[in-house]
Amino acid sequence: MNKKLTSSMLCAALAVGTVFGSAMTASAADLPILGAGIYSSTDNFNSYIGKAITGASEGVFEVNVDDGQLDQSTQLNQIDTALAKGAVAIAVSVVDTTSAPTIIQKCQDAGDIPVIFFNKEITDKDVVNSYENLYQVTSTGGDYGAAIEGEIIVNYWNENPEMDKNGDGKLQLINLMGDPGHTASQPRSEHVKSTIEDAGIEIELLEEDTGMWDTTKAKEKMDAWVSKYGDEIECVVCANDAMALGALTSIEAAGFNTEGKESEQYIPVVGIDALPEALEKIESGELIGSVLQDAQTQGKVIVAIANNLYQGKEPLDGLDFEFDTDGSKAVRVPYSAITAENVDEAAATYAE
Ligand code: BGC
Ligand code: CA
């Protein structure tokens, strides 16, 4: 009885809230709709881009960033719904890159609505060139930040001779890769290793496997490896921070890294993205570094392109970016190295 009362009161309160909400945001209802979605809210980095899109849309677009829940048909339904509501642009990180033609078709059918693909780059040029109103917002270079990640490791090796624990002149390395279906995954894995080797450091690859961009999966893999190799591991390179944080949890449970660089046993771990939750670990020395992939700027650029197009302006009007030189309408936001010395630079991008 009591429970019932409480829940009906809650319903009433929510109803009032909704009424007030819509009354207060009457002007928001007049804003054009941006149909936005990320492939999964379980992906930390994508969630930050989603937040950046929401932030940048304030007063510009009515937006609700959908969660594709790792399911392409769910995401296609969300796009249908947004287009049916009259979205003036669609911005998505696709669940599956091969579904790009279907999404393009939907936008075309809805009246040549612009589509902005972000994060998961569509690399099939035939697909990219098939639609005049297709834009992409990702990050720089075919290496997707991995050359910078490799340089962090090379610098660390040069500055910390104790990194070569067994003194054999080689780097005993573990490589945690991203989702093989993602455009950045293979290039990151290759470029991080070639950058290390090009600097004259020979790699002995202890293990290499995918952690699917995911903290829990990375932790599970690392649990097995840390018990197999223990202090023989001289470096763990991760294709993103979510996995670096998972690997770190695992090695800390095994007694490594808990006191930062002062730890009795230490395994250098590095990631990509410079997520806020990784920055603390870089500051404390539990991670040696990361590569900033600027989610805030990517979100702003996505919204600015959509708004410029809606206003009938040039897509990059007022932005400090240019499209790719190959003629595709792709904006690439640069990466930068983040270590204990400059965590503030990455933190500042999230503070805006
Ligand atoms: C990011 C990863 C993310 C992946 C998913 C990459 O660019 O670095 O953190 O999991 O995109 O799309
Ligand atoms: Ca060694």
Side-chain angles (χ1 to χ4, degrees), residues 36-222:
I38 56 173
Y39 82 97
S40 171
S41 62
T42 60
D43 186 292
N44 318 37
F45 179 72
N46 267 260
S47 296
Y48 282 112
I49 300 191
K51 279 185 200 154
I53 290 175
T54 306
S57 293
E58 217 172 293
V60 180
F61 285 118
E62 181 189 328
V63 72
N64 174 30
V65 180
D66 291 319
D67 174 6
Q69 298 168 36
L70 291 170
D71 184 62
Q72 192 55 69
S73 61
T74 300
Q75 185 175 59
L76 292 176
N77 286 338
Q78 291 164 344
I79 292 170
D80 283 338
T81 306
L83 290 171
K85 277 191 194 158
V88 298
I90 294 293
V92 280
S93 69
V94 287
V95 176
D96 177 354
T97 48
T98 63
S99 69
T102 311
I103 297 171
I104 292 168
Q105 191 63 53
K106 287 180 185 301
C107 291
Q108 205 159 13
D109 292 348
D112 282 339
I113 299 296
V115 60
I116 304 165
F117 292 112
F118 61 87
N119 180 247
K120 287 199 187 182
E121 185 176 355
I122 313 301
T123 47
D124 184 334
K125 289 287 172 227
D126 290 340
V127 174
V128 171
N129 295 329
S130 71
Y131 190 43
E132 186 66 21
N133 259 333
L134 183 152
Y135 299 85
Q136 301 212 65
V137 176
T138 58
S139 29
T140 22
D143 67 303
Y144 294 95
I148 296 177
E149 188 179 36
E151 278 160 27
I152 293 175
I153 296 170
V154 170
N155 291 341
Y156 194 88
W157 174 273
N158 291 334
E159 286 160 18
N160 301 274
E162 71 278 8
M163 187 180 193
D164 186 9
K165 294 178 185 175
N166 63 356
D168 68 350
K170 300 180 196 167
L171 181 67
Q172 274 69 32
L173 182 74
I174 285 184
N175 181 21
L176 262 169
M177 300 168 67
D179 173 1
H182 189 287
T183 333
S185 198
Q186 194 59 33
R188 278 192 186 162
S189 174
E190 279 161 19
H191 283 270
V192 74
K193 288 181 288 185
S194 63
T195 304
I196 296 170
E197 285 166 343
D198 290 350
I201 305 166
E202 202 180 318
I203 293 173
E204 185 190 335
L205 199 58
L206 298 180
E207 297 286 348
E208 174 170 274
D209 202 352
T210 175
M212 296 299 289
W213 302 128
D214 183 74
T215 300
T216 310
K217 292 202 178 76
K219 184 192 166 294
E220 281 164 13
K221 296 269 156 147
M222 200 64 221

